[in-house]
Amino acid sequence: MENIKDKKDLTISIIGGTDGLGKWFAKYLKNKGFNIIVTGRDVEKGKNVEKELNVKFTNNNVEAAKKGDIVIIAVPINVTERVIKEVAPHVREGCLLMDITSIKEIPTKTMEKYVKEGVTVIPTHPMFGPSTPSLLRQVVILTPTEKHKKSEWFEKVYNFLVKEGAKVIVIPAEKHDRIMGIVQGLTHFAFISLGSTLKELNVDIKESRKFASPIYELMISIIGRIIGQNPYLYADIQMFNPRIQEIHKAFINQSMEISKIVANKDREGFVKIMKEAAKHFGSEAKRGAYYSDKAVFALSSEIEKLNKLIGKEIAVKNLNSNNIHFGVLKNIEDDYLILEKNGKELKFNILRVEVFSGEELKNLKKKFFERKYSDISVLFKKSVDENVILNLLKKLFDVEIIDVYEGDKIEEGHKSITFRIYEYSKDKLKDIEKEFLNIIKNIGGKERFK
């Protein structure tokens, strides 16, 4: 195989690159200097992505595959096999074919079957979603066969991911699907079943949370997170992983066994199951307790912190839009904080914002607003250390000393210290001046000019 080109000459074709993780990789790799082609069925959406990311769009998968030095299949699981059959034969000899679906046995076998001799195949599973900012600390699983693991392309891909800070795991496709059947399949199955059970029991979720233990609160949050995702993606994870059926069977059998023990009031049988499960977990049982304790503490401490800020100025960053709002925290109502801004009330979900106060708030205001200031000259006795006074005042005001003067027109035994007070509102600055002078009088100073 000829030497692989430098990245500035490499063209990466992402089949299904106008949405989801495919679009994420298009943006990420474009920013790294690669030439990117994306495909998608929706021409209007494709043209918008072309303009947004400065990439090339086509709705012809085969043409994109012919042009790509690297071809990445990024379509939904239920059409992955069909799309591989469509494009794999057109990937040029010496080039690379990848997929980024969350099952690996079917894509691996299909790509291996339909590519030309001389094409490298690296099935890939990024363990993150399109809201992730970068590859840093993200898990990426590669499942190449032994033949392709020895290729130059594999070395290039592996090194690129590691350089970007990703944690790379290399395992066979069969092992991947067995593990993912548990990590994704069993997890989703259990929590979707819990959500469906609560619906069947007609439980008022909001009402139930009033009586919730911390663990119930966490469980409801996890259920809500999962059932709020793309249901077609989650259906495909359940239906296309060949290991899922045996996992479902084991879960249902255990559920029925425990239900039978409860119905028979077999207390010791119930205890035995819990003890055996705990023994199997080993040290991970304690880790789970610590982990959940930390999650509970983080949420409760955040609410406690917000309650202390009621009536004070804060900044709120919306994690969806990244917009920042400045105002006074008026109240906390359930999962929402009420911000008073320019005479209006804005409502934000506490779980979807980042709140800034204190020094962080000051730094943000410096970044977004032009500061106003007022200079006030104050007389103190010569023996007074102005730095001690400044450190005291800094706890209350945004202030600095701009001048210290002794000499003509200064009362004997005294010195003049000129403070500069900063604020972002002229109206508020006047109130701060009065407050500042009151404190000065209380600590033995007096205004030099009236």
Side-chain angles (χ1 to χ4, degrees):
M1 182 169 64
E2 295 177 2
N3 288 333
I4 296 168
K5 307 172 186 176
D6 292 334
K7 68 178 182 181
K8 65 181 180 180
D9 299 318
L10 272 174
T11 294
I12 302 178
S13 294
I14 302 179
I15 312 300
T18 59
D19 210 353
L21 203 53
K23 183 180 176 182
W24 187 94
F25 271 105
K27 181 179 181 180
Y28 191 83
L29 295 170
K30 177 65 180 179
N31 289 337
K32 294 296 173 182
F34 296 98
N35 303 310
I36 305 296
I37 299 172
V38 297
T39 77
R41 292 179 299 174
D42 188 326
V43 174
E44 184 178 353
K45 180 190 281 188
K47 290 295 182 182
N48 289 336
V49 171
E50 181 176 62
K51 187 175 180 181
E52 177 190 349
L53 304 184
N54 192 27
V55 298
K56 292 180 180 178
F57 167 75
T58 175
N59 64 347
N60 189 318
N61 290 341
V62 170
E63 287 305 309
K66 288 178 179 177
K67 293 176 181 176
D69 299 295
I70 299 175
V71 179
I72 301 174
I73 309 293
V75 297
I77 297 171
N78 65 314
V79 296
T80 294
E81 187 176 10
R82 175 177 64 75
V83 172
I84 289 172
K85 290 177 181 178
E86 175 191 5
V87 304
H90 303 284
V91 179
R92 304 189 318 273
E93 183 180 348
C95 293
L96 169 64
L97 178 61
M98 307 173 74
D99 82 294
I100 55 171
T101 49
S102 55
I103 60 165
K104 291 274 74 77
E105 287 181 81
I106 293 172
T108 300
K109 290 174 182 176
T110 309
M111 287 190 287
E112 292 275 3
K113 180 177 179 180
Y114 285 91
V115 292
K116 298 171 184 172
E117 185 65 34
V119 173
T120 302
V121 172
I122 305 179
T124 305
H125 182 189
M127 293 291 292
F128 56 87
S131 61
T132 303
S134 73
L135 286 169
L136 185 63
R137 292 189 293 275
Q138 302 302 320
V139 174
V140 180
I141 303 173
L142 307 178
T143 65
T145 60
E146 287 301 317
K147 169 186 171 183
H148 295 295
K149 200 189 294 184
K150 298 172 184 176
S151 69
E152 187 181 353
W153 272 118
F154 177 79
E155 184 180 353
K156 290 279 186 184
V157 169
Y158 185 93
N159 290 341
F160 172 80
L161 292 170
V162 170
K163 188 178 177 183
E164 293 299 307
K167 180 183 177 183
V168 185
I169 298 172
V170 184
I171 55 174
E174 295 79 7
K175 185 176 181 180
H176 168 278
D177 282 4
R178 188 165 62 252
I179 294 170
M180 285 304 115
I182 300 296
V183 173
Q184 290 184 320
L186 178 59
T187 302
H188 298 167
F189 184 74
F191 280 105
I192 292 167
S193 297
L194 284 169
S196 183
T197 302
L198 292 170
K199 174 252 175 191
E200 189 67 19
L201 294 171
N202 199 27
V203 174
D204 184 327
I205 304 302
K206 191 171 184 179
E207 178 72 13
S208 73
R209 288 180 61 205
K210 293 178 182 177
F211 310 94
S213 66
I215 295 303
Y216 180 82
E217 188 76 52
L218 279 177
M219 182 189 78
I220 290 296
S221 298
I222 295 169
I223 293 171
R225 179 184 178 89
I226 289 175
I227 62 175
Q229 303 297 318
N230 182 344
Y232 292 100
L233 170 62
Y234 279 62
D236 291 346
I237 288 171
Q238 294 294 320
M239 295 171 192
F240 286 89
N241 186 325
R243 311 290 169 176
I244 284 291
Q245 285 303 312
E246 61 187 89
I247 293 167
H248 284 185
K249 187 176 179 181
F251 178 80
I252 292 167
N253 286 344
Q254 284 301 300
S255 298
M256 291 177 67
E257 178 66 21
I258 294 170
S259 181
K260 219 181 278 184
I261 287 171
V262 171
N264 294 332
K265 295 189 174 5
D266 182 0
R267 192 164 180 257
E268 290 306 316
F270 190 93
V271 169
K272 181 184 177 185
I273 282 182
M274 278 192 69
K275 282 184 174 180
E276 287 178 350
K279 184 178 179 182
H280 178 76
F281 267 62
S283 62
E284 289 299 310
K286 282 187 177 180
R287 183 179 181 275
Y290 298 150
Y291 194 90
S292 56
D293 282 347
K294 194 164 186 177
V296 170
F297 175 77
L299 189 58
S300 59
S301 62
E302 183 179 9
I303 299 296
E304 187 179 334
K305 176 186 171 185
L306 285 173
N307 277 318
K308 290 179 180 177
L309 292 172
I310 291 175
K312 296 181 181 178
E313 187 180 17
I314 62 170
V316 176
K317 181 180 180 182
N318 187 316
L319 297 179
N320 292 327
S321 65
N322 287 325
N323 291 333
I324 296 178
H325 302 267
F326 296 86
V328 175
L329 179 58
K330 189 172 180 183
N331 202 3
I332 306 292
E333 297 176 0
D334 295 327
D335 288 339
Y336 294 87
L337 63 83
I338 312 300
L339 187 75
E340 189 173 343
K341 178 182 179 183
N342 300 328
K344 296 181 180 179
E345 290 186 359
L346 303 177
K347 197 173 183 180
F348 296 94
N349 189 318
I350 293 169
L351 303 174
R352 298 304 305 149
V353 297
E354 188 175 358
V355 175
F356 302 91
S357 60
E359 285 301 315
E360 290 181 324
L361 174 63
K362 285 182 183 178
N363 292 333
L364 270 179
K365 290 176 81 172
K366 286 177 185 177
K367 181 179 178 181
F368 285 92
F369 301 111
E370 180 184 351
R371 289 196 297 173
K372 312 292 187 298
Y373 66 84
S374 176
D375 294 339
I376 300 176
S377 295
V378 178
L379 292 177
F380 276 100
K381 289 184 178 180
K382 282 186 179 181
S383 58
V384 168
D385 185 339
E386 61 269 16
N387 290 314
V388 172
I389 299 293
L390 179 63
N391 288 334
L392 171 66
L393 293 171
K394 274 187 170 181
K395 294 178 181 179
L396 303 169
F397 307 100
D398 187 358
V399 61
E400 64 177 341
I401 293 174
I402 61 170
D403 183 55
V404 178
Y405 173 70
E406 298 176 30
D408 292 344
K409 298 181 181 180
I410 300 297
E411 189 178 328
E412 188 176 347
H414 288 71
K415 59 184 173 183
S416 171
I417 306 172
T418 301
F419 294 93
R420 178 165 287 174
I421 310 168
Y422 294 96
E423 184 45 55
Y424 297 92
S425 162
K426 281 186 178 180
D427 293 336
K428 198 170 181 182
L429 189 56
K430 291 176 183 177
D431 294 332
I432 288 175
E433 286 174 5
K434 291 177 185 176
E435 188 182 349
F436 180 85
L437 286 169
N438 281 334
I439 291 172
I440 289 296
K441 288 174 185 175
N442 288 330
I443 59 175
K446 58 183 178 180
E447 189 176 4
R448 182 179 170 192
F449 305 109
K450 291 189 178 179

